[in-house]
Amino acid sequence: MSTGKQLAGLLLLSTALTFPAAAIAQSTGAEGPPPTEEEVPDQELTDDVETANETVPGDVAEEGQAEPDISIPGGTIVVTGRRTRDVTRASPQVVTVLDTASIARTGEGDIAGALGRVTGLSQQGNGLVYVRGLGDRYSLALLNGLPLPSPQPLSRVVPLDIFPTSVVASSLVQKTYSANFPGEFGGGVINLTTRAIPTESFLTVSGSLSGDSETTFGPGYTYFGGDWDWTGFDQGRRDVGNYSALQGFFDSGARINDDSVDTRAILQDLNDPNLYLVQKIGDLPANFSAGVTAGTSFDVGSDGLLGIIATGSISNKWRNRFITKQTAVNADLDLDTDFNEFVTDNRVLVNSLLGFGLEIGEHKFRLTNLYIHDTLKRASLEEGTDFQDGDDSLIQDTSWFERQLFNSQFVGELEFGDLSVDLRGGYAQTKREAPFEWTFEYVRTNNANDPFGDVYLNTLDPQRGGAIVSFSDLKEDLWYGGIDVGYIVNDWLNATVGYAYTDTDRFSTRREFDIRASSGFPDAFGAFRPDNLLGDALIDFAFDPDAQAAGGIGPYNLTIFETTQSDPAFAAALEIHAAYGKVNIRPFDTLSIDVGVRYEDAVQSVEAVEVFAEPLGSTSGTLLENDYWLPGGTLTWELTDSLQFRASASKTIARPQFRELIFQTYFDPETNRQFNGNPRLVDSELTNYEARLEYYIGGGSRASVAGFYKEIENPIEVFTSFSDNEIISGFANAPSAELFGGEAELQYNYDLMDLGGWFDSQQLVLIANYTYTQSEIKVGPDDIASVFPFADQPATNFFDDGVPLTGQSDHLVNLQLGLEDLDRLSQFTVLLKYASERVTSRGAGPLPDIIEEPGLTLDFVVRQGFEVFGDKELELKFEARNLTGRDHEEFQSNGTNRIDINSYDVGRSISLGASIKF
């Protein structure tokens, strides 16, 4: 096959239907295995590296060494050194690459879980990956070198648990900054490269079943919703457009209390018991998923190859959580409230990927279209005590969070001898809809003088119960374009320049309505369950004073208050023009210097959007106009044939995320709390240093040690307050912070052939890494914190001097110990992961910080291949997760007393999956 045809493995256009693993058991295997070498041979994907090697005469690939497919801004990873093309070793930057084999060994079903095994990386429960203890705002996620918008209102970084491992050919983690990447590079960049075009036609069908000890075949809660809820798509019951009075009100520009508003008709539209009547399920089903992947390629003309790849999958997973939720009234942590909440989540994720790639001569083109639809259906019951008034409350919540991502991107890599031109462009759109989020609260006063003191009542009065419904809608559009031009000047110098443009627009609305009854509302009505309390009969009765008089009841009426009337909608935008130049210099065969600078000019704005005919004149907008010069350089020195030293320094930034700037309330179902933004946030600026030693043993074995240091000006931190028994989290700039630490990593492969017999083809694989990190916030007595809508105040009201940054664990440990067959698919892998305590949010006022303790988890993964039906390949995979039974613990402690903020049992999980390739 011609070189051109081999290179066609880099040309891809894709669209995928896929599903990530449940948050409890990071993988269920439902998505199917990552691509095999037969489907996407690594040897067919080495052109980027081979082309770069042409600038460094004398490089010799290690025998049998294959390189993963990597697509990044700037076109290629420039390989340095004399004797190797291993990307981790030969890249001028500090990188870790998970290829198909590494991903498969972890057994994880989504890429977030696999990345959680990388040195210095830790995964949060919501699919966000932290690099060296820095939160997701300091990380950058790219797909094929292009940015992605996030379907999460709480994050501009896309959650990586929505990407199944079956669609990812490689994942590159770069921890040192280079100018070809965007400047928002605080902790590092994670670049996912989608699967390449196969060199042979194939069809793979996969599926799995899984469950966990806290959920599967046990009781849970749900509500009906609609017949198609199990697919993650609403059949129209939640479409506000199907409710004429409600939609008419939204379109009218009127306020809810205007005389022209038909309150009765709106209440009748809101009354659909299918969307809020909680029902108990006696036996929750097992989780399932199924997927199919197919690909083919064929010759085009005399020197071209066109390939097609398509993959689709669906998963449906259930999760129970029995959550302890407590709040404190003072620094001694005396209880203010004490609640227990039983939550049942049903997560459905459907994705599709369809790809076409074309290679003609030395020119390669990749077009990728990706669609992801991720839905969470949630029902919960919560019971507890407010110790300030002695009341008990029973709270019911139902919700539907529907997220969607569509991404279409083009990559063209053109080669004209020593001149290369890399073109990238794309469009992406994300949506999040959360219609009909219902909360009903019933209160028992426990007052002996109250005739109903021992009964839970909802009198539709803030003093004793309530009914609240909200509607949230978010849409974000992102346009991206870029060009990179590289030129090989001679055998020791090459240069790259580039320009990139991004334009992001977000529109976000949230309308919340509190349904209240006047004082004449009969207490006896408050004992009705929600579908009767807001049933058509009582609604009609509330607007019929004659009927009330005839019954000797009332008089009373029902009204609606809009609690979000001051700021119901926001428009946000971020436009960035960026240009960079960088050179790679090799003054000696053993020394490489990669240095560059990036200039970014950005305008970021958040503006309140008037939805009412009579404007309210909100002041909660913001405008940030900044430009930066961001230098970065890395020196690589080969001390011996197997030992090399690296040193790097750079300046980077971290902009506030839209959600952090928008003064609007959102509920995060993972952390089980509400968030409000702060329009007064400003950019964070980082200075980064790193030094490391890398020792390459041979045969794929290696070891490394590293030290790193970061200074952060104006880091953005999360703080917490409590209001009406609810945990409310906000954002503020701390004055400054520093972070430092070290890493150690070992990968060792030991051949067992000397033992003979069955061991002839066996290999032991040991992968271990450890990261130590320390950080501290610096706060002085004269420092000021600016938090909307309050006046500026001392930063010490929000931050304590010397406390660690949120999200940072002192210790991260990953260990993989496996036995693998070199002749056929057979792997037994034990995986251990440990993360020490980390702060999730600053405590309110005198209260201590909120701490999460991830602890130790132990997993076991078995993959076994068989030949069936003659020449068909069957893979079976068994997974046992969280064998230590580690629970989720989030708490506040003053050293003597402890209260639990969001703690629950996770349980152990088991999964059995299979895939067959035709």
Side-chain angles (χ1 to χ4, degrees), residues 68-70 88 95-106 108 110-119 121 165 168-173 190-193 702 745 747 767 816:
D69 185 15
I70 300 171
T88 301
V95 302
T96 299
V97 178
L98 292 181
D99 57 11
T100 57
S102 301
I103 294 171
R105 184 180 294 115
T106 69
E108 303 287 356
D110 62 76
I111 198 64
L115 285 170
R117 311 288 178 178
V118 174
T119 309
L121 271 63
T165 55
V168 177
S170 72
S171 177
L172 176 143
V173 179
I190 298 169
N191 184 80
L192 308 181
T193 301
R702 64 178 183 268
E745 180 178 14
Q747 178 168 334
I767 302 174
Q816 298 180 38

Side-chain angles (χ1 to χ4, degrees), residues 465-483:
I468 297 175
V469 61
S470 65
F471 301 82
S472 301
D473 198 1
L474 179 151
K475 185 177 78 169
E476 182 170 310
D477 295 289
L478 183 149
W479 293 91
Y480 175 89
I483 180 172

Side-chain angles (χ1 to χ4, degrees), residues 11 15 24 71 135 146 168 189 258 360 564 605 778 848 895 898:
L11 315 177
T15 304
I24 272 186
S71 180
L146 287 92
V168 177
V189 64
D258 288 352
I360 300 177
T564 53
S605 63
K778 297 182 178 180
R898 162 177 161 160

